[in-house]
Amino acid sequence: MKPLLHAVESSGAASPAIPFYAPAGNECALFELAWRRRLPLLLKGPTGCGKTRFVAHMAARLGLPLHTVACHDDLSAADLTGRYLLKGGDTVWTDGPLTRAVREGGVCYLDEIVEARKDVAVVLHPLTDDRRILPLERTGEELSAPQNFMLVVSYNPGYQSLLKALKPSTRQRFVAIEFDFLPAEQEIAVVTAESGLPADQVRPLVKLAARLRALKGQDLEEGVSTRLVVYAAGLIAAGLTPAEAVRAAMIEPLTDEPDVRAALVEVARAVVG
Amino acid sequence: MKPLLHAVESSGAASPAIPFYAPAGNECALFELAWRRRLPLLLKGPTGCGKTRFVAHMAARLGLPLHTVACHDDLSAADLTGRYLLKGGDTVWTDGPLTRAVREGGVCYLDEIVEARKDVAVVLHPLTDDRRILPLERTGEELSAPQNFMLVVSYNPGYQSLLKALKPSTRQRFVAIEFDFLPAEQEIAVVTAESGLPADQVRPLVKLAARLRALKGQDLEEGVSTRLVVYAAGLIAAGLTPAEAVRAAMIEPLTDEPDVRAALVEVARAVVG
Amino acid sequence: MKPLLHAVESSGAASPAIPFYAPAGNECALFELAWRRRLPLLLKGPTGCGKTRFVAHMAARLGLPLHTVACHDDLSAADLTGRYLLKGGDTVWTDGPLTRAVREGGVCYLDEIVEARKDVAVVLHPLTDDRRILPLERTGEELSAPQNFMLVVSYNPGYQSLLKALKPSTRQRFVAIEFDFLPAEQEIAVVTAESGLPADQVRPLVKLAARLRALKGQDLEEGVSTRLVVYAAGLIAAGLTPAEAVRAAMIEPLTDEPDVRAALVEVARAVVG
Amino acid sequence: MKPLLHAVESSGAASPAIPFYAPAGNECALFELAWRRRLPLLLKGPTGCGKTRFVAHMAARLGLPLHTVACHDDLSAADLTGRYLLKGGDTVWTDGPLTRAVREGGVCYLDEIVEARKDVAVVLHPLTDDRRILPLERTGEELSAPQNFMLVVSYNPGYQSLLKALKPSTRQRFVAIEFDFLPAEQEIAVVTAESGLPADQVRPLVKLAARLRALKGQDLEEGVSTRLVVYAAGLIAAGLTPAEAVRAAMIEPLTDEPDVRAALVEVARAVVG
Amino acid sequence: MKPLLHAVESSGAASPAIPFYAPAGNECALFELAWRRRLPLLLKGPTGCGKTRFVAHMAARLGLPLHTVACHDDLSAADLTGRYLLKGGDTVWTDGPLTRAVREGGVCYLDEIVEARKDVAVVLHPLTDDRRILPLERTGEELSAPQNFMLVVSYNPGYQSLLKALKPSTRQRFVAIEFDFLPAEQEIAVVTAESGLPADQVRPLVKLAARLRALKGQDLEEGVSTRLVVYAAGLIAAGLTPAEAVRAAMIEPLTDEPDVRAALVEVARAVVG
Amino acid sequence: MKPLLHAVESSGAASPAIPFYAPAGNECALFELAWRRRLPLLLKGPTGCGKTRFVAHMAARLGLPLHTVACHDDLSAADLTGRYLLKGGDTVWTDGPLTRAVREGGVCYLDEIVEARKDVAVVLHPLTDDRRILPLERTGEELSAPQNFMLVVSYNPGYQSLLKALKPSTRQRFVAIEFDFLPAEQEIAVVTAESGLPADQVRPLVKLAARLRALKGQDLEEGVSTRLVVYAAGLIAAGLTPAEAVRAAMIEPLTDEPDVRAALVEVARAVVG
């Protein structure tokens, strides 16, 4: 997928209020078109490749408030829609974050949606077809999403299992974008900007990251994220030796296996020195 | 099953208040006869083939209010019938959506009934035999369904498992209709109407959808829904290239497997270009 | 088992208040004797063979109020006996349906008892031995069942599994009756009476039902119930063709397997035309 | 084990207030000695062999109130000891049946103890060693059992499994008695007394019961209880034929398997005619 | 391990307030040293070998109050530390037994710790390192254990399983003592003292106990406890024959298997007569 | 990893308020740099190697308050963030320990994080990226962590399993340090300081500890912790023989297997005498 020119350009424009995001393809254009057509969006990709930053960037560019919910194993529909709480002896309804987002408009971003309990997916169904409604069965209300409401969900396909997977009846309600790690030059730029370490010192770290990502599925469950490269660069900028920084920020967080760790240390020595 | 003529014709008549529905067989006649005989109805079929739209269409045609409940893993009988809530220190009974539907009359539609907890099926039993009653054991009430009450349930047979299946003692209380995707010409008409893309540009998308549906059970868990074809058409109408639109709306939502995705991209290139 | 003459005759007498029931053996006499000896009764048989109707018939004949509880996976002893609910800040005891039946007398019918949670069986033990008491441990009460209280339970032996079965210590507290589908001529009479379709048009439907019931255990989990034959007859009476009616009411409710469905359609074509 | 003379004699003496019990061995003497030594008692034996009646008999003979708790899968320690309930806005402690028995004295009989949740066994530990105390952790109380308190528990060894078994640390706190069905002449006497059917008509029923009990472990999960023989005798006394009464009371309650049932019918025909 | 002289002597001194305990090794000295060094203590050993009595003995000797908690499957950290209860409309904190022990000082004895839920172990961690604190997260308090607080836990290694085991991070916080049954002469003395039966009649019972303990792991899950020997002796002292007493108190409580029971009866006949 | 000189030196400086900690590598420098860069820290290592002490030492050195939470199987996000409690009829929000730490600043240390329920990890995500926020969904608040807030988590890699493991999306948010047991001379110094036993008597205990740690993975689940060596030394200082002290503090806490224990006793005899 090639980026649409206008999208890349505008995303490159640094506005003080807009979080920095370096697009790798047509994702900014797709987000904007989905927003215009009132289509819900599904972001797929590995840990730390920038999905959360992308949503923050696009929400700011489009001038939309952003409601983020990090999903987890115990997150239920009621956590999203709301509950009755006791106040002064009465039960009073209290909106959940999804209900607040539908009432106020803006982007509602459900991060790692496959982690949530399965009743969550069903709450999303009437919001993601042409009805665009959120029924609150406990209160008897039926909220219509405003024009500027957009639902975005994400997950890491590498984590999906039989028990944790979006059903086709849910997936097929979303336009979907596949994310991957940034190309090397873009990643160097990002790490340099965020860590303050000069680009020539960042380059070997990014090279090492690429080497470690190639080991995914063999010795490593997941490749190293850009965030960890930023950590390593930051520790070097703060005075740690590259070897120590790489070990603490790019090797120890990846594995507990002594054999694998020793192999990674060798790879790091060859690349970073 | 051949459509009954009068049913097809009247369903084709576009009324402003009646959601558009293009019948594929005798389903409109069957719904109407079941409604006249006070028989409960079971709709079976794959994701996105139009069951929900069909129910909305028929309820509107028959002038009946529609009560829709999307079932999920945690939906229990009490969620349908009602609960005691605390108000001012007392517990006050609050009707659930099924109880509201029985009190007010109309079509009560339980979508994806096999997802719900098993006590739900039992609540439906006295409503689906000649008694047509809803006992509310917690309040001691026994509601008689009014003449214009009709119960409709649906599920996707492709999802059934040993754990998630309707028991014969429940199934055998319903008249049942099997749904499938629309024939090509009807689907082109629907997608054109909903996306605004000209029919000649829609035709290859529908052809691609048929190709992808044929892969179900091999590489794909579920064929592509008409909804996703509408999404793709809408993105093209909004300016995306057909290749980008098809990838975002008809391929990425179907699979996370790199091999399968690559194969689907090839299929799409051959059909859509 | 041959029917006792007087029982069959009186059950054949149509009283306006007594639901119609066509006995197949000595079940009416057995029910009455069990009632006279204060013995609890266990009804075994497949889905839709008339157990519920039989209990309604006998309760009406004996002039006893009928309390029916449809059991399900989450039905616990407290659902049967009662609970404390909050009223005006206090917890107030509220009888469950079994407790109400013991206080008021009459037949208490627990349908599909094996579905209920296992603590239910234990609640029944002191009610089903010579003590005939219902201890309410939460309130400290111990209710003695009145002379005209009778407990009837039922289940479908075809559904029993290791997890869902009555323990011998529970079963051996009941006199038991095995039910099966009606003989052909009796079933034709019942379907004709309930659907309004002439007997000669009902005859092939009943013949088809017998053919489908013979497939149980091979291709079908459960044979077709008399209720579904009544549905099919009713749809024909309302104007549907026999082929359409049979498909919607006697084939689609039985199976989702395309191969099995095709075979059943062939069987139906041979029998019904 | 031979019965102690004085015990058998006094148990044979029919007092109006003392439930009838025909001892089979030294169980009455053992109960009385255990009571005198303040030792807890464990009764083991099959369904319907008279354990519950035995406890009622002994409690009455010793002039002790009897507190019976039928244990089940969901019975927890709190169900036995007590709970806080809301009254007028406060939580008020409410004794459970074990706590009431400890406060008031008498025999506390926990029937089918292995069914209860495992925390129940632990509640019994300090009551069954030389401390003879019941600590109520929620209230901070520690009740000392009075002199006339005795704990009796029972279970059916045939039901024990890995998941459902008394741990040695619990079992080894009890004096234990093994029960079995009554010898034939004693059983005939009991059935005659309870059903009103003459002894010569009862004799073949008891003979049949012995034959059916011999099938336990082969075709039957559990032999027929004396209670069911009483049922059969009662139905014959009320006018049913022996064949019908045996089928309803001694065969249908034992099995749902058509093959096994047919075999039992043959056995019954040979013995009862 | 040889007993420290002074410890054995003082434990042999019978004080009216100190429960009798016959030490088998250096356990009294170890307890006292652990108490002086503020070290937590772990007691390991089979059912009925005297661990609970030992703790009661040592607490009394050291003049310390004793707080005993019998652990079970549902015992959670909140059961030990405390809960909020409703009083007059407010939630009021109520100390659990561990919190009471920490506030008041003395020995807190958690019997069968491996049975408890796993969050219990974690509550013990800050109490069992040099911090000696009990954080009450729900109230925000952090209690410092007083000088005279000592934590003692016990379990039966024979019951440990993969699911029920102390993690090394918990075990390695305790000084540990292994217990076994008493040597024969000591056991005879204990049984004689507790049952009132002359020592020469106790001797064969203790001999039998040794024979039965040797069968552990073959036919018996657990050897016979000293408690059961005391029961048997007591029943003989009360007038039962040795054979009857042994069967009721030393054989029936050990096994339900007819074969094993018959073998044990033979063993008993050879030893006791 | 070589220690940074200045870090080692300052950690060696004994301040009255700073808990003693003997660094083994660059961990003090890494902690300080992570704190300066606002990076969260992950400590990995076996039981009893000093992770908790290290955090207490660093918090004191940096003048930061320390909030410690011992994680366990039932610890949920709500336990960390807070709950609504009833006060005077109203539900009042009450901060959990993580929320208190974010409000007040300082080090928040989650010990054995992998034990906690999985929703805990998700609560940490927005705290551990560049947002550094703690959203309280139940109250609608979003707390920004102050400059002096630092999150530290720990776990024992030896305990991780498929069910209990940090997901990469969580791990890759932390700088990580691997811990191991102290080198011999450092461990001797620590044990001497903490037990009061002379170093020459401590030396064989530390030698034995090394021998026992080498057995990990063969006969022992986990090597002996420094804490247990301190226990053994303390018991010797209090008068127990080395053999008795080693058995009670360094062998019995490690194993329940008679064979393994016998082998460890042999090892101990060879090393300690």
Side-chain angles (χ1 to χ4, degrees), chain C residues 2 26 33 37 39 44 89-91 117-119 122 128 138 155 160 167-169 171-174 176 178, chain D residues 47 70-74 79 86 88-89 112 159 195 223 225 228 231 234 244 248 252-256 261:
Chain C
K2 290 226 189 121
N26 69 347
L33 288 180
R37 303 282 304 184
L39 301 180
K44 310 189 290 184
D90 276 20
T91 46
R117 277 169 50 185
K118 292 188 175 171
D119 59 342
V122 166
T128 50
R138 306 256 162 138
Y155 71 93
Q160 281 207 103
K167 290 191 306 180
S169 63
R171 290 175 67 113
Q172 297 209 1
R173 294 164 176 279
F174 291 87
E178 173 83 17
Chain D
T47 295
C71 299
H72 55 78
D73 291 61
D74 291 329
D79 290 319
L86 273 178
E112 301 212 34
Y159 287 171
S195 70
S225 68
L228 288 185
Y231 282 6
E244 285 179 314
E252 293 287 357
L254 295 195
T255 186
D256 298 325
R261 182 167 47 211

Side-chain angles (χ1 to χ4, degrees), chain D residues 44-46 155-160 178, chain E residues 256:
Chain D
K44 310 189 290 185
Y155 70 93
N156 181 343
Y159 287 171
Q160 282 206 102
E178 172 84 15
Chain E
D256 299 325

Side-chain angles (χ1 to χ4, degrees), chain B residues 185-243:
Chain B
E185 290 309 313
Q186 279 184 276
E187 190 167 25
I188 291 169
V190 166
V191 174
T192 300
E194 306 235 339
S195 69
L197 192 71
D200 62 323
Q201 287 183 265
V202 169
R203 188 173 302 275
L205 298 177
V206 167
K207 193 174 166 195
L208 174 60
R211 293 281 295 273
L212 297 176
R213 286 164 191 161
L215 297 173
K216 182 183 166 185
Q218 296 175 277
D219 290 323
L220 293 178
E221 193 184 350
E222 184 76 44
V224 67
S225 67
T226 300
R227 177 184 292 121
L228 287 184
V229 185
V230 173
Y231 282 6
L235 289 173
I236 295 170
L240 218 57
T241 69

Side-chain angles (χ1 to χ4, degrees), chain A residues 90-91 117 155 160 171 173, chain B residues 74 86 88 225 231 253 256:
Chain A
D90 276 19
T91 47
R117 278 168 53 184
Y155 71 93
Q160 280 208 102
R171 289 176 68 114
R173 292 164 177 280
Chain B
D74 292 329
L86 272 178
S225 67
Y231 282 6
D256 299 325

